[in-house]
Amino acid sequence: MYRVLRVSLKAAVRDDLLAKNPSARVAMPKAERTEARYLTASEVASLLRAAEDTRYHAALSLIAHTGLRSGEARALRWRDVDFGEKTLKVRGTLSRVDGRLEVTEPKTAKSRRTLPLTSAVVEILKTQRRTQRRERLRAANLWTDTGLVFTTETGQPVDSANLRRALNTAADSAGLDDVCVHTLRHSAATAWLESGVNLKAVSELLGHADIRVTADCYGHVTEATSRAAMDTLSKALGI
């Protein structure tokens, strides 16, 4: 709010509506640092196993493996997936506009990105494609060809609430509290950082506009990581 107000008043000075910018003498408020809720790798695995019987297991698995935002995963089209190169392109996000689900532009310019896929994720997507083809045959003339990877039984876009319900059911079954779809994204980022992937690379994989966003959200480290860091230093010092 401070930044928007300051820019607006600066424009007013430029247009001779104000003699000076009154916000220029006000110090910028300090933003509170919020650390993201995350799950351990074993907890994520347990959650995905519990979600196997839900309709959106593949979507949740993709988010857990790639750190995609929910809207990005739900906006993914088959034309954005390259099985040969093992990559997917993030080109948009699924949002509700005037009551309708529509694919809109990505959150930021950095959100438009290409992600490498592991062989396991490629198999998840291939299985999803086979499942969708069977559903298309069953739906017949009721099917709407949106080209989306994840759809309803009739090919329509998936509402975020559907994905959320599937995750909540799985979380309850796995005995995990305070879990949302975004938790899978946070968990992927944390796992990358703890395995030694540098902050800049993680920021680009997540599609953050600024590396500082990544640092603020994922500044935490687990006790195991802290202990490993101390052990590494001791070895380097020859102790």
Side-chain angles (χ1 to χ4, degrees):
M1 290 174 66
Y2 169 87
R3 286 173 175 165
V4 171
L5 179 61
R6 183 160 181 163
V7 169
S8 300
L9 293 174
K10 183 178 180 180
V13 173
R14 180 198 63 205
D15 297 339
D16 294 326
L17 298 174
L18 288 175
K20 60 182 180 180
N21 187 341
S23 69
R25 301 184 65 175
V26 179
M28 180 183 291
K30 290 184 178 180
E32 289 187 17
R33 177 173 171 173
T34 57
E35 294 188 352
R37 160 85 163 108
Y38 70 96
L39 302 175
T40 64
S42 61
E43 287 174 331
V44 172
S46 176
L47 180 64
L48 293 179
R49 282 195 299 271
E52 285 180 352
D53 293 333
T54 69
R55 174 174 180 78
Y56 300 109
H57 172 255
L60 295 173
S61 294
L62 180 66
I63 293 171
H65 282 86
T66 62
L68 285 174
R69 298 178 177 93
S70 170
E72 292 172 341
R74 292 180 295 113
L76 186 66
R77 291 188 168 101
W78 287 116
R79 71 185 187 208
D80 301 326
V81 180
D82 189 325
F83 287 114
E85 295 295 325
K86 293 185 178 180
T87 61
L88 67 77
K89 294 183 183 297
V90 179
R91 302 180 190 268
T93 186
L94 193 64
S95 308
R96 193 167 287 282
V97 180
D98 296 329
R100 296 180 56 190
L101 287 172
E102 295 182 7
V103 176
T104 59
E105 286 296 306
K107 187 176 180 181
T108 65
K110 285 288 185 70
S111 294
R112 189 182 290 272
R113 61 202 187 278
T114 300
L115 299 177
L117 302 176
T118 64
S119 296
V121 176
V122 168
E123 285 306 311
I124 289 171
L125 290 173
K126 284 183 176 180
T127 300
Q128 171 63 15
R129 186 172 58 174
R130 290 192 294 269
T131 299
Q132 191 180 85
R133 284 173 175 171
R134 290 194 296 269
E135 290 184 338
R136 183 170 185 165
L137 290 174
R138 284 198 298 269
N141 62 340
L142 296 178
W143 183 266
T144 300
D145 191 8
T146 58
L148 295 170
V149 174
F150 304 109
T151 66
T152 65
E153 292 89 340
T154 57
Q156 297 288 345
V158 176
D159 191 283
S160 60
N162 294 347
L163 209 59
R164 189 164 57 248
R165 278 193 293 270
L167 182 76
N168 289 342
T169 300
D172 288 342
S173 178
L176 297 170
D177 298 322
D178 193 24
V179 175
C180 64
V181 177
H182 219 61
T183 305
L184 294 176
R185 173 173 162 86
H186 294 325
S187 302
T190 301
W192 285 329
L193 289 170
E194 293 195 338
S195 63
V197 180
N198 69 69
L199 190 63
K200 175 65 174 174
V202 173
S203 182
E204 291 182 353
L205 287 169
L206 294 174
H208 282 161
D210 193 316
I211 193 172
R212 287 175 294 183
V213 176
T214 317
D216 286 345
C217 288
Y218 306 103
H220 55 255
V221 291
T222 65
E223 181 182 349
T225 303
S226 298
R227 189 172 298 281
M230 290 297 187
D231 290 342
T232 299
L233 180 58
S234 292
K235 289 178 182 177
L237 296 174
I239 298 175

